[in-house]
Amino acid sequence: MRALSHADCLALWERGQTLHPLDRGLLAVQAAFPESQRESVADWPLGRRNRALAELRCACFGRWLRGWTACEQCGERLEFEVDGNALAASNVGSTDELIEVQGDVFRLPTSRDLARIAGEHDSSTAAVQLLEQCMVSSTLQDSGKRQVDLEKWTEEQLNAVGERMAQADPLAEILLHFDCPACSHAFDLGLDLAAFLWSELEGRAKRLLRDVHTLASAYGWSEAEVLSLSPARREFYLGMVRA
C-alpha cells in the first residue's frame, strides 16, 4: 500500500467531489494501492474492497474507528468503537469463489453489483436484485438463459443464499450491534466503511485548505510549500500566526 501524502489527500478529495459514494471508495483504493489499477476494483468481492479500505483508514487515521449513531427507537446517542486493524486482518472472499445453494450457483457480490441496485429503496427488492446479479447458473437454466424467478423464492431460501455469501466473504457486510441503555432496544446497523473513510478524508482536506489559506496569507507561501511542511512545523507556524 502506498502512503497518502497531504497533497495526495487533497487531490483524492477533489477528484471525488462529483462521484457517487460507491465510486469514491473505489477511487480511494486505487489511490492507495497502485497495483489495483491493473484490474477493476469494482469487480472485487466486497470483503476485499472493505479490507483495502480498512488498511488505508488505519494508515491515514490510526487503528480505532470511532463514531456514533442514534437509537432507531428512542433517538438516544449511541457511540461505537471498531478495531480497524482487526478489519484489515480479516479473511475475505476471492473473485473466483462460487457458492451453491439448492443447485443454484452464485458468485460473491461486488461494488459493481451494488451500483446497479443503488436506485432501489425497498430493501427486500434490492436483496432479490442483488442475488439476480450474482447468479451464475441454475438447475433450471435452458440454453444459457436464466429461468429462475428469485422473486418467487421463499424468505428462507433467500436467507440461505445470504448466509452462505456471508460465510464465504465475512467482511462484505460489517454489522455493529447496539443495546440502547435508555429504552433497552437492541438492533444491528451496517457500517459503510467507504462513507466513513471518505468523511474523514473530506474533513482532513478542508482542514488542510484552511491551513494553506492561513499560512499563504501570512507568509506568501504556495500551497505546495505549505503542504510540504511536517505537521509539527505547520502547527507551530499556525500558532504564531494566531498569537
Side-chain angles (χ1 to χ4, degrees):
M1 186 188 73
R2 184 177 70 87
L4 297 184
S5 67
H6 288 152
D8 292 331
C9 180
L10 280 178
L12 177 60
W13 169 75
E14 186 175 15
R15 289 179 60 193
Q17 287 302 290
T18 60
L19 297 181
H20 186 277
L22 276 171
D23 294 320
R24 289 174 176 174
L26 301 181
L27 182 66
V29 171
Q30 290 173 329
F33 296 85
E35 66 275 13
S36 69
Q37 297 179 14
R38 295 193 295 268
E39 54 186 320
S40 176
V41 180
D43 293 320
W44 284 7
L46 294 175
R48 183 182 176 189
R49 182 208 66 173
N50 284 341
R51 184 173 65 183
L53 289 170
E55 290 182 48
L56 174 58
R57 198 278 170 189
C58 289
C60 291
F61 300 100
R63 174 176 181 175
W64 297 101
L65 289 73
R66 296 182 174 92
W68 67 276
T69 189
C71 174
E72 58 186 23
Q73 184 159 298
C74 73
E76 178 77 5
R77 179 186 173 111
L78 304 174
E79 297 182 351
F80 65 83
E81 182 178 77
V82 178
D83 186 347
N85 284 352
L87 296 179
S90 298
N91 294 324
V92 297
S94 62
T95 304
D96 57 355
E97 187 164 356
L98 300 176
I99 62 172
E100 182 176 343
V101 178
Q102 299 179 357
D104 300 314
V105 180
F106 300 83
R107 58 171 174 75
L108 297 176
T110 67
S111 297
R112 194 182 303 278
D113 297 320
L114 294 185
R116 288 169 176 159
I117 64 171
E120 179 53 62
H121 300 294
D122 181 78
S123 59
S124 298
T125 302
V128 170
Q129 292 177 350
L130 181 61
L131 294 185
E132 288 176 340
Q133 296 285 347
C134 296
M135 180 174 281
V136 175
S137 63
S138 169
T139 54
L140 299 182
Q141 280 186 327
D142 179 29
S143 301
K145 297 181 179 180
R146 294 176 184 168
Q147 300 295 318
V148 177
D149 184 357
L150 289 176
E151 293 186 358
K152 295 181 180 178
W153 278 30
T154 65
E155 183 175 350
E156 182 178 331
Q157 289 174 306
L158 294 173
N159 287 340
V161 180
E163 289 173 4
R164 288 292 305 279
M165 285 183 170
Q167 293 169 2
D169 196 16
L171 202 60
E173 184 178 24
I174 304 170
L175 288 177
L176 306 180
H177 181 75
F178 295 92
D179 292 298
C180 181
C183 69
S184 301
H185 178 60
F187 64 100
D188 293 330
L189 189 66
L191 173 63
D192 186 337
L193 197 53
F196 190 95
L197 173 60
W198 191 264
S199 68
E200 293 182 309
L201 286 171
E202 184 172 50
R204 172 170 290 181
K206 291 180 178 180
R207 285 192 298 273
L208 286 170
L209 290 175
R210 285 193 291 268
D211 290 350
V212 168
H213 171 74
T214 299
L215 294 179
S217 299
Y219 297 107
W221 295 336
S222 68
E223 179 180 272
E225 288 172 325
V226 173
L227 295 179
S228 69
L229 295 171
S230 68
R233 291 176 64 186
R234 188 168 62 250
E235 281 301 316
F236 187 81
Y237 283 118
L238 287 169
M240 289 192 293
V241 171
R242 294 164 182 158

